[in-house]
């Protein structure tokens, strides 16, 4: 799940909103919704990325020597890609909070003493010693801007780094959205954390059918989900809302959310789905409960640690970064769901640079809120004709995405 379109600039100040407020000019409902979304996304949004890296890895077939460009977001997938030993990964993001988070996670792999220390720092809630570990092992190694960010204070006056001593996954826009969803469910007599007690897929299905599915018939919840702003915390901007609603017979986002939640709860064993743990328990599973994300698993630790210096993190847009690269210099592109947010002009500008910089055999992957790829009919035929859409693999791997957030997963391969 991306934090914003690479070219939308939501992480920057919004002079139009400031001007409108100072001059008391009324904003249209659509304009106000757009402005609100941009303001919300100017802070930390995703402490964890919500695209399944195992799906990404199978789609891209990363090999030693590959050069990758990806959107940063929470940084988890970039670290997973490192385990395949690519030659280079360029990470782009316009959100400075995500830039600081990506750099901190990389530093944890490079400078904490062991794999257990990395897991303790990034995956175990309520670990008060993490602040001390940061001061001793990480702060002296960070660049000045990143160190200043994590030493800075939040709205309550506490050091930002202190969140790793509590539970960083309950923070950020998405973390607050999940918390609000839990509160709403509890008001209707359902405790979502009880889902973590399921011991079989049969019990998972029963919990969904008996507890979760009926919530989407409640008038209050149907009213809330009819408001575009209610889904901002899921990373669904106003542009995506109507498209999502069009997917259901009732033209209701509630029906779409119900179907996505059903996939999350019923299509994968809980032990194997750390996305479900984050959604329902608001933490990662403990060793006796299930598996950690791939980048935190012991089998990948040495490779990630060894290759961490191959990553460069840029406070820039995807198109901007590619414009500075020579032709045929990139092998793999990871766009998350950013294109859902783009205008036709932005899409064509982006794919002009992708096509120019793509080496032989290059692969582009991305996700969409709806099921179909958004490129046909919007991308110029001159550009689109240079790429092959792998429809069969896209459908198969999309069904295997454990995060269950998206309607479609898409793979484009550069034609010879």
């Amino acid at each position: 799940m991306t934090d914003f379109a690479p070219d939308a600039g939501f992480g920057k100040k919004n002079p139009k909103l400031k001007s409108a407020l100072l001059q008391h000019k009324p904003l249209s409902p659509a304009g106000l919704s757009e402005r609100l979304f941009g303001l919300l996304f100017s802070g930390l949004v995703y402490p964890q990325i919500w695209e399944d890296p195992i799906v990404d890895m199978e789609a891209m077939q990363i090999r030693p020597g590959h050069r990758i460009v990806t959107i940063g977001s929470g940084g988890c997938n970039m670290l997973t890609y490192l385990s395949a030993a690519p030659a280079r990964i360029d990470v782009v993001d316009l959100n400075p909070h995500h830039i600081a988070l990506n750099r901190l996670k990389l530093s944890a792999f490079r400078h904490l003493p062991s794999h257990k220390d990395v897991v303790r720092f990034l995956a175990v809630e309520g670990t008060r010693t993490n602040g001390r570990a940061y001061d001793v092992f990480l702060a002296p190694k960070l660049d000045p801007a990143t160190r200043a960010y994590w030493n800075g204070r939040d709205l309550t006056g506490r050091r930002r780094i202190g969140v790793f001593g509590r539970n960083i996954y309950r923070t950020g826009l998405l973390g607050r959205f999940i918390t609000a969803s839990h509160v709403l469910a509890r008001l209707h007599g359902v405790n979502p954390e009880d889902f973590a007690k399921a011991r079989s897929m049969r019990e998972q299905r029963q919990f969904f059918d008996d507890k979760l599915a009926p919530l989407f018939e409640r008038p209050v919840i149907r009213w809330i989900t009819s408001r575009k702003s209610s889904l901002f915390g899921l990373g669904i901007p106003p542009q995506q809302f109507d498209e999502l609603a069009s997917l259901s017979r009732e033209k209701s986002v509630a029906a779409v959310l119900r179907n996505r939640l059903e996939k999350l709860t019923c299509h994968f064993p809980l032990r194997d789905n750390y996305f479900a743990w984050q959604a329902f328990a608001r933490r990662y599973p403990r060793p006796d409960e299930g598996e950690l994300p791939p980048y935190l698993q012991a089998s990948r630790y040495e490779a990630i640690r060894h290759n961490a210096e191959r990553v460069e993190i840029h406070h820039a847009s995807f198109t901007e970064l590619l414009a500075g690269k020579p032709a045929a210099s990139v092998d793999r592109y990871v766009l998350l769901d950013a294109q859902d947010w783009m205008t036709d002009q932005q899409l064509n500008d982006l794919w002009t640079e992708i096509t120019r910089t793509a080496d032989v055999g290059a692969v582009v992957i991305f996700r969409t809120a709806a099921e179909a790829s958004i490129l046909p009919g919007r991308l110029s035929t001159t550009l689109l004709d240079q790429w092959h859409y792998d429809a069969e693999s896209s459908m198969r791997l999309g069904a295997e995405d454990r995060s269950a957030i998206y309607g479609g997963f898409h793979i484009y391969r550069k034609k010879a």
Side-chain angles (χ1 to χ4, degrees):
M1 189 179 293
T2 187
D3 30 314
F4 40 74
D7 296 286
F10 284 133
K12 302 175 182 179
K13 294 181 180 179
N14 195 321
K16 291 182 179 179
L17 175 62
K18 181 178 179 181
S19 175
L21 292 176
L22 290 177
Q23 299 176 37
H24 304 288
K25 292 181 178 180
L27 289 170
S28 68
L32 184 59
S33 185
E34 294 281 358
R35 301 295 190 268
L36 175 59
F37 184 76
L39 289 174
L40 289 174
F41 269 52
S42 64
L44 178 67
V45 183
Y46 304 119
Q48 170 196 281
I49 201 168
W50 278 74
E51 286 84 4
D52 193 332
I54 298 304
V55 166
D56 291 1
M57 296 283 277
E58 185 171 348
M60 291 191 289
Q61 295 293 305
I62 299 170
R63 298 287 182 263
H66 278 167
R67 298 148 297 178
I68 304 170
V69 180
T70 179
I71 296 172
S73 191
C76 315
N77 287 24
M78 166 268 292
L79 291 164
T80 305
Y81 306 156
L82 276 180
S83 67
R88 175 185 177 90
I89 301 179
D90 285 298
V91 177
V92 299
D93 211 298
L94 285 174
N95 187 318
H97 302 272
H98 291 169
I99 294 290
L101 181 60
N102 275 251
R103 289 177 175 162
L104 181 67
K105 288 184 175 181
L106 273 173
S107 183
F109 274 89
R110 293 180 62 188
H111 302 301
L112 288 177
S114 70
H115 173 250
K116 289 183 178 180
D117 293 296
V118 171
V119 171
R120 187 180 302 113
F121 191 83
L122 296 176
V124 180
E125 76 278 8
T127 307
R128 300 296 181 182
T129 57
N130 281 343
R132 178 62 177 164
Y134 165 83
D135 290 330
V136 173
F137 297 107
L138 303 184
K141 304 292 185 179
L142 291 172
D143 63 276
T146 305
R147 183 168 58 249
Y149 175 88
W150 291 109
N151 283 335
R153 303 285 170 171
D154 62 21
L155 294 176
T156 65
R158 298 177 294 187
R159 279 204 311 170
R160 284 197 180 103
I161 194 62
V163 72
F164 286 92
R166 301 186 296 275
N167 186 341
I168 188 173
Y169 302 105
R170 297 195 180 197
T171 65
L173 185 60
L174 180 61
R176 293 192 291 272
F177 175 87
I178 293 174
T179 296
S181 300
H182 277 233
V183 171
L184 185 60
R186 283 174 175 268
L187 290 174
H188 286 84
V190 177
N191 182 0
E193 294 187 11
D194 288 341
F195 179 74
K197 300 174 183 177
R199 293 296 175 262
S200 67
M201 293 190 68
R202 180 181 178 182
E203 291 183 11
Q204 292 173 217
R205 164 58 71 178
Q206 184 175 1
F207 189 89
F208 175 80
D209 289 342
D210 295 347
K211 303 293 185 180
L212 300 178
L215 291 176
F216 291 94
E217 301 303 322
R218 300 294 181 92
V220 171
I221 292 178
R222 294 187 70 85
W223 181 85
I224 290 174
T225 55
S226 71
R227 320 303 297 177
K228 294 182 179 182
S229 59
S230 69
L231 302 185
F232 286 174
L234 272 180
I236 297 176
Q239 302 98 305
Q240 288 181 332
F241 188 92
D242 293 334
E243 186 174 1
L244 279 175
S246 71
L247 296 176
S248 73
R249 185 178 303 173
E250 304 87 354
K251 306 299 181 184
S252 167
V253 170
V256 177
L257 294 178
R258 180 192 182 282
N259 291 338
R260 303 278 166 92
L261 188 61
E262 181 179 12
K263 180 180 179 181
L264 179 67
T265 55
C266 302
H267 289 202
F268 311 97
L270 180 59
R271 288 191 60 85
D272 300 336
N273 193 358
Y274 64 91
F275 294 103
W277 279 95
Q278 285 288 359
F280 292 99
R282 293 181 293 170
R283 60 176 175 83
Y284 286 136
R286 302 183 180 99
D288 61 319
E289 295 174 324
E291 293 186 354
L292 289 171
Y295 82 100
L296 291 172
Q297 294 172 7
S299 61
R300 298 178 188 263
Y301 169 72
E302 289 297 339
I304 296 173
R305 183 183 180 95
H306 177 73
N307 296 319
E309 293 186 352
R310 302 182 184 186
V311 177
E312 187 169 354
I313 299 172
H314 310 266
H315 191 196
S317 77
F318 214 109
T319 305
E320 179 185 359
L321 179 79
L322 293 182
K325 285 185 172 291
S329 61
V330 181
D331 302 288
R332 301 290 184 267
Y333 304 79
V334 184
L335 299 173
L336 305 185
D337 66 335
Q339 294 174 113
D340 276 3
W341 312 33
M342 292 185 180
T343 65
D344 288 359
Q345 183 63 55
Q346 289 171 334
L347 273 176
N348 281 275
D349 290 345
L350 172 63
W351 278 86
T352 295
E353 292 301 335
I354 289 176
T355 303
R356 182 186 66 82
T357 57
D359 204 354
V360 176
V363 177
V364 181
I365 64 171
F366 61 90
R367 289 165 171 83
T368 51
E371 296 176 3
S373 169
I374 64 170
L375 298 186
R378 298 187 61 191
L379 197 63
S380 74
T381 55
T382 302
L383 291 171
L384 194 57
D385 286 348
Q386 298 183 61
W387 294 86
H388 167 69
Y389 180 53
D390 189 344
E392 182 179 350
S393 296
S394 296
M395 181 172 293
R396 175 177 59 85
L397 291 175
E400 295 175 8
D401 192 321
R402 294 168 295 173
S403 76
I405 293 294
Y406 301 99
F409 176 75
H410 309 283
I411 307 168
Y412 281 80
R413 307 186 190 277
K414 188 73 161 59
K415 292 180 180 178

